[in-house]
Amino acid sequence: MNQLFNKIKATLSPHIKLSTIKNSIICCSGGPDSVFLAHAIKEITNNHHHLVYFDHMLRPNETKEEKKLINVLGKTLKFSVHIIPLKISKKNQAHYRTQRLKELEQLSKKLETNIIFLGHHLDDLNESFFMRKIQQSGTIGLSNIFSKKYRNIKLHRPLKKYTKKQIKRYADRNKLI
């Protein structure tokens, strides 16, 4: 197993017994971080996983390409693919975040799993923290960035110790989709 995948496995091991996972959900945007995450989870577990892509329905051309990529990735890794349209009248980050969590909760019940992997890396977390700080978010808003649970769902961010540059370098070197 690759050294970086071993580090990710070590990051997850204290929080989750990887060998007991029957299936899980991997949130995938189609970017290098979530594609890398899907490959890493496939490599460190031999279980069935579900890729979830949220279609925010904001950029039609990009969405088509992202959906195509997600479907190719799903076939390559033998994952089930779920594309979920988000129909939100009030288009702001807080509403999208709330809707995504509600959709994940419903899907996790349907798939009988409470394990969800998110592709947030170190740069994402730093950016979110400072953006919320600038927006004068309170303690609750700032702490949500690092939350590990939403109701009965366990949220795992195995890439939180790695920068986008490290992930992209690995993805390029290994010719990941």
Side-chain angles (χ1 to χ4, degrees):
M1 187 183 301
N2 177 286
Q3 184 181 6
L4 191 53
F5 289 167
N6 280 332
K7 288 180 182 179
I8 291 169
K9 188 175 183 177
T11 300
L12 287 170
S13 293
H15 309 286
I16 184 172
K17 192 169 181 182
L18 296 167
S19 61
T20 63
I21 299 172
K22 290 181 186 174
N23 65 41
S24 70
I25 295 171
I26 301 169
C27 293
C28 193
S29 67
D33 359 311
S34 58
V35 170
F36 170 78
L37 175 63
H39 280 274
I41 296 301
K42 176 69 173 186
E43 184 68 26
I44 61 179
T45 70
N46 285 324
N47 305 307
H48 187 73
H49 302 285
H50 302 268
L51 286 180
V52 173
Y53 172 79
F54 290 105
D55 182 354
H56 293 84
M57 300 191 294
L58 296 173
R59 307 164 300 185
N61 291 338
E62 289 181 51
T63 300
K64 287 179 190 173
E65 291 302 313
E66 289 165 350
K67 285 179 183 177
K68 190 186 293 184
L69 175 72
I70 301 301
N71 282 311
V72 168
L73 183 62
K75 286 177 186 169
T76 303
L77 298 177
K78 296 181 175 73
F79 289 175
S80 300
V81 174
H82 306 266
I83 296 175
I84 300 173
L86 294 179
K87 297 173 186 161
I88 299 174
S89 58
K90 199 173 185 182
K91 297 189 186 302
N92 69 44
Q93 289 299 319
H95 282 88
Y96 278 119
R97 188 172 30 259
T98 301
Q99 189 62 37
R100 285 191 302 262
L101 287 169
K102 285 179 182 175
E103 293 288 344
L104 284 172
E105 183 179 32
Q106 289 175 359
L107 185 60
S108 70
K109 284 178 186 174
K110 179 180 168 186
L111 300 174
E112 299 178 355
T113 184
N114 68 344
I115 298 167
I116 298 179
F117 295 102
L118 304 171
H120 300 140
H121 49 73
L122 184 60
D123 300 334
D124 288 334
L125 296 173
N126 287 335
E127 178 185 338
S128 295
F129 178 83
F130 286 110
M131 288 298 292
R132 289 187 188 179
K133 187 72 175 156
I134 289 167
Q135 296 166 346
Q136 298 179 336
S137 188
T139 307
I140 293 171
L142 291 170
S143 64
N144 283 344
I145 299 166
F146 307 103
S147 63
K148 296 178 182 173
K149 204 167 185 186
Y150 175 78
R151 298 188 187 185
N152 67 334
I153 300 171
K154 295 176 187 169
L155 304 171
H156 300 279
R157 294 176 178 87
L159 306 181
K160 66 185 175 188
K161 295 180 180 179
Y162 306 98
T163 64
K164 177 119 180 162
K165 186 176 180 179
Q166 289 173 299
I167 294 165
K168 190 159 177 10
R169 189 176 333 130
Y170 179 89
D172 290 346
R173 209 174 322 130
N174 291 282
K175 296 177 178 40
L176 298 183
I177 296 174

